[in-house]
Amino acid sequence: MKRIPLIAGNWKMYKTTTEAIEFASAIKRNLYQINPELLEIVICPAFTALSDVSEVICDSNIKLGAQDVHWEREGAFTGEVSILMLKDLNCKYVIVGHSERRTYFKETNEIINKKLKVVLKEGLSPILCVGENLEERENNMTFKVLDDHIYNGLKDISSLELVNLVIAYEPVWAIGTGKTATPQIAQEAQGYIRNLLNNLYGESISQQIRILYGGSVKPDNIRELIKQPDIDGALVGGASLILDSFVNIVKYSYDEVKNICMDY
Ligand code: PGA
């Protein structure tokens, strides 16, 4: 069975719609040769730019993702964006439970669980972010945090609903800090996550779920990361905002995946 590696750019609260259109067009021009059956490319602009970027990439090998979603399909929730609105714009992916949302917007596992359910129900792919902060790592709590994020995040979600799930292991101490986890540290955590998925859903499902690494991914570290057996791509923040960096991260990953046999 094959897991198609995925490189996703999380643009966070950067780029106006005008800038986003220009940037998405440049990415499209530079990456048209990537075969989406070997490597998926996803870009996640701010909500305000989704509609225009969707038009720019509609005839390309690049897919659209959103950075968040509300857990209800519609309702009186001023300022929020629903899954139906995202689906209508041809979004295929939604980042759920990013550490910045857990920290600054107090998103709990319970909220994240509700968001995952609505995204899966509507047939989109959630990218569930999990990972420990520095204090937790230094206190040897990494595995405990991963247990908490995975078991509670995926609570009451059956294996039948899971098909589209993607997980991103993002150690908080590596996000935006320039400190990447070594490939060994990332592999250890991601192997652990796959093992948790195995306990929850069995071998065949756990082998199908893609687990990305996120945290200061750059062109000069992506090759070693993506070579690891349980690293199926990357969720890229800062480096996804710079054309050369993002293009090279995708190209270097593509070189590696063409070499690696991902059949199990
Ligand atoms: P970074 O961000 O690549 O800037 O560390 C990653 C993320 O927040 O997803």
Side-chain angles (χ1 to χ4, degrees):
M1 164 200 332
K2 210 170 169 197
R3 298 192 295 268
I4 299 175
L6 188 163
I7 301 292
N10 173 11
W11 295 2
K12 307 193 180 182
M13 200 175 70
Y14 292 97
K15 298 196 189 292
T16 62
T17 299
T18 311
E19 290 164 345
I21 292 171
E22 201 177 305
F23 195 66
S25 314
I27 292 176
K28 179 171 131 176
R29 273 197 308 277
N30 279 273
L31 292 175
Y32 70 91
Q33 71 277 42
I34 305 293
N35 177 353
E37 282 170 18
L38 295 180
L39 179 79
E40 267 190 83
I41 309 166
V42 176
I43 52 177
C44 307
F47 286 137
T48 46
L50 284 175
S51 176
D52 287 281
V53 169
S54 180
E55 280 185 31
V56 171
I57 61 176
C58 67
D59 56 350
S60 78
N61 52 355
I62 299 164
K63 296 195 178 110
L64 190 66
Q67 298 174 19
D68 190 23
V69 68
H70 193 269
W71 62 83
E72 291 290 343
R73 289 159 54 87
E74 59 182 2
F77 297 101
T78 302
E80 291 292 316
V81 172
S82 79
I83 192 69
L84 299 179
M85 296 169 186
L86 297 179
K87 203 172 170 180
D88 186 49
L89 295 179
N90 211 18
C91 266
K92 301 291 182 214
Y93 287 85
V94 185
I95 298 172
V96 176
H98 189 280
S99 69
E100 285 151 16
R101 297 219 55 89
R102 292 182 191 257
T103 309
Y104 306 137
F105 303 97
K106 306 285 171 258
E107 280 194 15
T108 58
N109 284 320
E110 200 186 346
I111 291 174
I112 290 163
N113 177 253
K114 288 202 271 185
K115 291 184 174 187
L116 285 174
K117 284 178 180 159
V118 82
V119 175
L120 289 167
K121 190 145 195 247
E122 287 303 322
L124 280 76
S125 295
I127 303 177
L128 166 63
C129 300
V130 300
E132 79 289 357
N133 63 31
L134 186 60
E135 195 188 337
E136 289 160 344
R137 173 151 289 264
E138 284 173 346
N139 288 312
N140 293 322
M141 284 167 64
T142 298
F143 293 154
K144 206 164 163 257
V145 172
L146 294 177
D147 289 348
D148 178 49
H149 288 175
I150 295 286
Y151 286 130
N152 292 315
L154 297 178
K155 199 165 169 220
D156 299 327
I157 298 178
S158 75
S159 54
L160 289 174
E161 297 165 284
L162 266 193
V163 275
N164 296 324
L165 176 72
V166 176
I167 291 179
Y169 169 61
E170 297 209 307
V172 181
W173 47 271
I175 296 179
T177 58
K179 264 199 231 164
T180 325
T182 60
Q184 292 68 33
I185 289 179
Q187 168 55 35
E188 183 190 38
Q190 302 197 193
Y192 184 82
I193 292 169
R194 197 170 310 280
N195 205 33
L196 293 180
L197 296 171
N198 194 359
N199 296 343
L200 280 173
Y201 300 107
E203 172 84 16
S204 114
I205 300 279
S206 72
Q207 288 297 332
Q208 284 175 52
I209 297 174
R210 289 175 293 179
I211 308 177
L212 314 180
Y213 168 77
S216 299
V217 171
K218 305 218 163 38
D220 61 11
N221 57 31
I222 186 64
R223 287 182 196 273
E224 290 307 313
L225 288 162
I226 209 161
K227 271 186 197 160
Q228 303 300 315
D230 289 300
I231 301 186
D232 306 311
L235 180 56
V236 188
S240 76
L241 297 166
I242 303 161
L243 184 63
D244 278 0
S245 302
F246 188 66
V247 165
N248 283 331
I249 288 170
V250 171
K251 286 188 175 165
Y252 296 164
S253 305
Y254 196 55
D255 290 345
E256 290 301 324
V257 301
K258 282 193 291 183
N259 295 333
I260 300 173
C261 171
M262 297 193 81
D263 286 318
Y264 291 88

